[in-house]
Every structure is written in structure tokens, then in C-alpha cells.
Amino acid sequence: MLLHIPGVFSPDEVLRIREALEQAEWADGKVTAGYQSAKAKHNQQLPEGHALAKEIGAAMLERLWKNPLFMSAALPHKVFPPLVNCYTAGGSFDFHIDNAVRQPKGNAERVRTDLSATLFFSDPQDYDGGELEIQDTYGTQRVKLPAGDMVLYPGTSLHKVNAVIRGTRYASFFWTQSLVREDSQRALLFEMDGAIQQLTRDVPDHPSLIRLTGTYHNLLRRWVEV
Ligand code: NI
């Protein structure tokens, strides 16, 4: 399941983030790539643990933890702290699948990468190319969202970032280990939760709501790993 989560940051907030990123000192993106993907990766990244990356990452996660769409779709257990990257002057990242397990620097706890997320800090008109291409069960999706918006997609997907041939593309990305490992099960729960939320708004006193909500939790209990 591929999900667009709009407005994680407002246009004003994104502007301030971008101004800070324009002043930052960048490192080669290959430092966090595996052996194979280092050959495919041509971009720049704020080093892991960089103060600005930590500040942006903390603000992102605080927003997302209060975002009903993210919570319902990702059912997050833990995350790998967001990294910030920059593609410019022909920079690209060829097709790859992300490593299954990630260990944050200075942290013993590893994260299984069930879900990937990219939050865009540059507006689509500020650069050419730079689409995130994701191969999903329904074919290839090309994602290029307004600044402040985020896309969430299964960590199992083959994906790439097309070359940026004009301007600069700033973005942040992170991985989430979900309480529910399988994308298909998460997608069912997300659908059901959405339907229950809508019924709760439209017919709040309907007696079946309690049964449906109970069934949601009984399915979740069946599939959850904590
Ligand atoms: Ni990737």
C-alpha cells in the first residue's frame, strides 16, 4: 500500500527547514548505503547524528505520532531516526531494495524496515526530475509531492530516485518497524479502521460499531508483534 500523507509541515515551516538545509554541510550519501547500493547512490546526506537532522527528525516524528493517517496505516512500533538528503546536479539513486534491518548509530536496538517514508522539503516546481519511483503490485508509481507532504510505502518495494536535472531536491526519509509485519494485513486493518472512523462520524450510535471495533482489535491482536 502506498499512502500520501499531506501537510506534515506547513509551507512556512518547510521554508525555514529549507533555509537551514541550504546552509548545512553535506556528506556523501554512500556512508549509510550497503555495499551494493553504494554503487547506485549519488546524492548527499546530513551525517547521522547531525544536529540539524536530529532537530528535523524529532519535529517530524512528533507530528507523525499525532497524525491519525500515519498511525492507522503504519501501526508503528519503532522507527529508525529520519535522515535528510539532497539531490542536485544530476544526482540520482538507482533501483534498489532497502536493507531489511537497520541499527541506529549508538543504539543497540535494531529496526526492521517494514515501511519506508519520504517527506519532501522542496516544491515540485523547484526541480526537474527527482521523482521517487516505486514498483508496487499495481505497477510503477512516480511520486513527487508538494513540500511538507509525505509518502509511506512498503519496505519490500523496489524503488529509485530519478536524476535531478535542474534545481535541488531536499527530503527526509526514515523506516518504521510496524506492530504488524505484513503489508497485506496492515492494509486490511487500515481499510477497516477508516470505515469504522467514517461510521463513527455518520451514525455514531449504531450498535454494530462496537462489534466492528471489537473485530478490528481481535484481528490486530492476532497479527501484532510487540
Ligand atoms: Ni531506498
Side-chain angles (χ1 to χ4, degrees):
M1 181 180 61
L2 201 126
L3 183 69
H4 174 188
I5 300 177
V8 177
F9 289 116
S10 72
D12 274 359
E13 290 170 324
V14 166
L15 190 66
R16 272 186 280 131
I17 291 171
R18 214 163 44 226
E19 280 168 0
L21 293 176
E22 280 162 5
Q23 307 297 320
E25 290 210 11
W26 295 83
D28 193 322
K30 293 189 202 300
V31 287
T32 55
Y35 172 74
Q36 263 192 353
S37 60
K39 286 184 265 180
K41 191 174 183 185
H42 307 282
N43 69 355
Q44 292 169 300
Q45 212 165 277
L46 291 184
E48 215 181 321
H50 189 289
L52 182 58
K54 276 164 91 171
E55 195 185 326
I56 294 171
M60 264 169 73
L61 296 180
E62 201 201 308
R63 290 292 163 86
L64 289 168
W65 247 244
K66 293 179 195 153
N67 186 302
L69 212 50
F70 174 75
M71 294 307 280
S72 175
L75 296 166
H77 179 33
K78 52 187 173 181
V79 301
F80 183 94
L83 294 166
V84 183
N85 63 18
C86 164
Y87 290 83
T88 193
S92 64
F93 196 167
D94 282 344
F95 271 123
H96 65 280
I97 290 177
D98 296 339
N99 287 2
V101 178
R102 290 269 170 180
Q103 185 154 16
K105 227 177 187 170
N107 192 330
E109 217 180 340
R110 287 174 292 187
V111 177
R112 193 183 60 229
T113 56
D114 296 326
L115 290 148
S116 287
T118 295
L119 199 159
F120 292 78
F121 291 136
S122 299
D123 271 309
Q125 65 269 23
D126 293 343
Y127 59 98
D128 290 334
E131 301 85 0
L132 172 63
E133 272 193 34
I134 304 164
Q135 284 196 0
D136 132 291
T137 34
Y138 301 107
T140 302
Q141 313 282 328
R142 276 182 197 82
V143 184
K144 189 169 179 175
L145 299 177
D149 289 15
M150 192 177 96
V151 63
L152 188 68
Y153 61 98
T156 48
S157 322
L158 193 61
H159 60 280
K160 72 187 262 199
V161 176
N162 288 330
V164 171
I165 49 173
R166 177 189 64 87
T168 303
R169 173 197 192 268
Y170 294 108
S172 178
F173 63 101
F174 68 96
W175 294 280
T176 303
Q177 178 170 331
S178 178
L179 293 166
V180 175
R181 180 195 297 234
E182 284 299 324
D183 183 59
S184 57
Q185 294 171 338
R186 243 183 283 116
L188 272 176
L189 289 167
F190 179 64
E191 270 303 305
M192 192 172 178
D193 187 37
I196 291 170
Q197 297 304 325
Q198 184 158 1
L199 277 177
T200 305
R201 287 191 295 271
D202 296 350
V203 268
D205 298 321
H206 199 287
S208 291
L209 268 174
I210 291 172
R211 290 164 63 196
L212 281 171
T213 306
T215 305
Y216 172 89
H217 281 282
N218 286 335
L219 283 173
L220 179 59
R221 195 182 340 269
R222 225 183 145 97
W223 294 332
V224 82
E225 296 169 75
V226 284

